[in-house]
Amino acid sequence: MKLLLKSDNAVRVIADSAIARNSQPWFLPDFGENWRWRTALAFRIGKLGKNVASRFADRYLDAVTLLWVAEADGFGACDYMDGAVVCGNWIPLNEVPEAAASLLADVTRSATIKHGDILAIMNPDDPTPIRINDHISLSLDETEVLNFNVK
């Protein structure tokens, strides 16, 4: 499984070991500076594909959730740091947004996607500082998908 995260007009490949489970505490590292988080809208791949046209995205993307993505100054290894991304609970996808269909088409021009891979689009909003004892609870379409504590 791989996570392909579109951020700042580039697609980052995030290691599967960087994806933490929802509902488990996230521990603030003692390295890096100015830790903060942002969200990303994530889509789960439901079947193998290569060079998929955007009009067929509904055949490949089967569920949606939110990701909680940590980042820090002076620490560029968040793409492979264990637990750098917390993946929310998946909910069925009713309609594929145009941005997700476009990302799917772009990525599959040069890479094969597999069942269980994740495509995500980073939220461009300002990041939120991470503090010990924060409680993170995020919802998507009125369904809670993320719920954990920062330790």
Side-chain angles (χ1 to χ4, degrees):
M1 170 181 68
K2 61 187 165 285
L3 167 58
L4 301 161
L5 177 64
K6 184 175 182 182
S7 175
D8 301 324
N9 296 322
V11 177
R12 298 163 36 196
V13 179
I14 311 293
D16 61 349
S17 61
I19 302 171
R21 294 185 191 188
N22 188 17
S23 303
Q24 295 184 352
W26 190 85
F27 294 92
L28 185 65
D30 58 0
F31 49 83
E33 299 173 8
N34 190 27
W35 282 94
R36 56 204 178 276
W37 64 273
R38 290 196 277 168
T39 58
L41 188 60
F43 303 90
R44 185 178 61 200
I45 303 296
K47 68 188 233 180
L48 181 72
K50 173 92 170 131
N51 206 19
V52 177
S54 60
R55 70 179 182 269
F56 298 121
D58 61 333
R59 298 179 187 179
Y60 289 85
L61 305 176
D62 64 1
V64 64
T65 194
L66 290 175
L67 301 179
W68 181 90
V69 183
E71 53 189 41
D73 294 338
F75 184 67
C78 287
D79 289 355
Y80 59 85
M81 181 186 88
D82 289 351
V85 175
V86 179
C87 185
N89 298 327
W90 294 102
I91 56 177
L93 181 62
N94 296 324
E95 185 177 332
V96 177
E98 185 177 325
S102 177
L103 178 59
L104 176 69
D106 289 346
V107 164
T108 60
R109 279 191 200 109
S110 59
T112 300
I113 55 169
K114 298 178 181 175
H115 181 81
D117 287 350
I118 301 170
L119 291 180
I121 301 167
M122 186 75 82
N123 184 342
D125 289 347
D126 289 334
T128 303
I130 300 174
R131 294 184 184 90
I132 292 176
N133 295 325
D134 279 354
H135 177 76
I136 308 297
S137 178
L138 299 172
S139 296
L140 183 62
D141 295 333
E142 298 181 18
T143 301
E144 183 180 83
V145 293
L146 276 167
N147 188 350
F148 63 95
N149 294 314
V150 176
K151 299 287 183 179

